[in-house]
Amino acid sequence: MTRAARRIRLDLAYDGTGYAGWQVQPNRPTIQGTVEEALARLHGGTRVNVRGAGRTDAGVHARGQVADATVALAEDDTAIAHALRRILPDAIRVQDVATVPDGFHSRHDAIAKTYAYYVDRSPAGDPFLARYALHATRRLDLDAIDAALTLLPGRRDFTGFAAASCVVADRVRTMTVARRVAIRPSLDALAFTADGFLTHMVRNIVGTLLEIGAGRFDPQRIAEVLASGERRLAGPTAAARALTLERVDYGVTMRAR
């Protein structure tokens, strides 16, 4: 037995280590593709398209990814969540399923996203963090990093921190949070909240901050990259494995009445 089609919101967490990113790619495992395959099984093999709030890169993780899809299932939201947890691999977990208005769009309706980049500063490196944090092999000047972070918030053109592959014409974004969070004495999270992010934007910012922390750049390099729009002035692209999509925010609760 089926019921009329309805749109659902899926709140997802995943370990991106074994995946080629969020977006479906031919002959490569992706988060989107794996979730679509699981929903197709619930629909007797009929393909179900899933849209995500953020197209995370290969190796990037998520605690708070949001997606949406149209389903035609008799089961209620809780039952769908349980079914997906049984089907999906352990690396992808459905945190919640909720019926939402038909017009809900997980990406277009998002007003902010928060990413965190984890840096392990322990002398030898914590093996239990190796999949989720970058081990800093040199001592970092945290005061310099903190000073550089203060230069990022605001409505700015982030062209200088975008990847060459970025195809978006409008590079202006509003960043509301850029700060270092000390999780424990040897583990920091570099947290960023904005209304949107360009391709590799966070990883390029972090790569620049790490150069600043190592004393190779002055904190003002952040302002120079922003003002010039020159990617060559920024640091290298930081490794994907230490980046996590922490949260996607919406203006109102997106649930159907």
Side-chain angles (χ1 to χ4, degrees):
M1 176 183 174
T2 61
R3 79 181 209 183
R6 71 189 195 272
R7 183 155 294 279
I8 58 171
R9 165 177 165 167
L10 301 100
D11 287 64
L12 302 167
Y14 50 82
D15 179 335
T17 304
Y19 295 89
W22 166 264
Q23 194 167 3
V24 169
Q25 300 178 46
N27 304 314
R28 301 188 71 186
T30 65
I31 304 296
Q32 180 186 22
T34 304
V35 175
E36 287 185 348
E37 289 169 6
L39 281 170
R41 286 182 58 179
L42 298 183
H43 285 81
T46 301
R47 182 182 176 185
V48 177
N49 181 57
V50 174
R51 303 184 298 203
R55 297 173 180 175
T56 51
D57 295 334
V60 174
H61 317 290
R63 284 194 180 89
Q65 174 72 284
V66 176
D68 66 273
T70 297
V71 299
L73 299 169
E75 293 81 4
D76 63 17
D77 295 339
T78 300
I80 293 173
H82 286 314
L84 289 173
R85 289 170 193 149
R86 289 194 299 270
I87 296 170
L88 288 166
D90 291 342
I92 305 174
R93 295 290 85 192
V94 174
Q95 304 297 307
D96 189 32
V97 171
T99 296
V100 291
D102 290 341
F104 175 70
H105 194 296
S106 54
R107 181 162 57 91
H108 294 164
D109 291 341
I111 61 171
K113 299 171 190 171
T114 297
Y115 282 90
Y117 196 95
Y118 293 88
V119 180
D120 173 12
R121 294 186 293 104
S122 61
D126 186 338
F128 294 99
L129 293 174
R131 288 161 68 104
Y132 313 107
L134 177 73
H135 180 226
T137 56
R138 296 184 180 183
R139 183 176 179 180
L140 297 175
D141 183 339
L142 299 182
D143 289 338
I145 289 175
D146 290 344
L149 283 164
T150 65
L151 303 175
L152 286 162
R155 186 162 179 79
R156 310 187 186 286
D157 186 331
F158 284 93
T159 295
F161 292 111
S165 59
C166 183
V167 297
V168 177
D170 182 4
R171 309 288 180 87
V172 175
R173 299 291 182 271
T174 301
M175 185 174 289
T176 53
V177 173
R179 65 191 180 107
R180 180 178 60 87
V181 180
I183 297 174
R184 58 179 191 244
S186 61
L187 180 64
D188 294 311
L190 302 175
F192 307 91
T193 300
D195 58 1
F197 292 89
L198 305 174
T199 306
H200 294 176
M201 176 174 152
V202 173
R203 292 167 59 194
N204 290 337
I205 289 173
V206 170
T208 308
L209 292 170
L210 293 175
E211 293 291 288
I212 291 168
R216 288 186 281 269
F217 291 165
D218 183 90
Q220 284 297 316
R221 178 60 68 94
I222 293 289
E224 293 171 12
V225 176
L226 289 170
S228 68
E230 292 287 343
R231 172 69 184 89
R232 62 183 177 81
L233 295 180
T237 304
R241 70 177 183 278
L243 183 62
T244 297
L245 173 57
E246 296 285 346
R247 191 176 72 249
V248 181
D249 293 318
Y250 298 89
V252 295
T253 302
M254 289 293 181
R255 291 178 182 268
R257 295 179 180 176

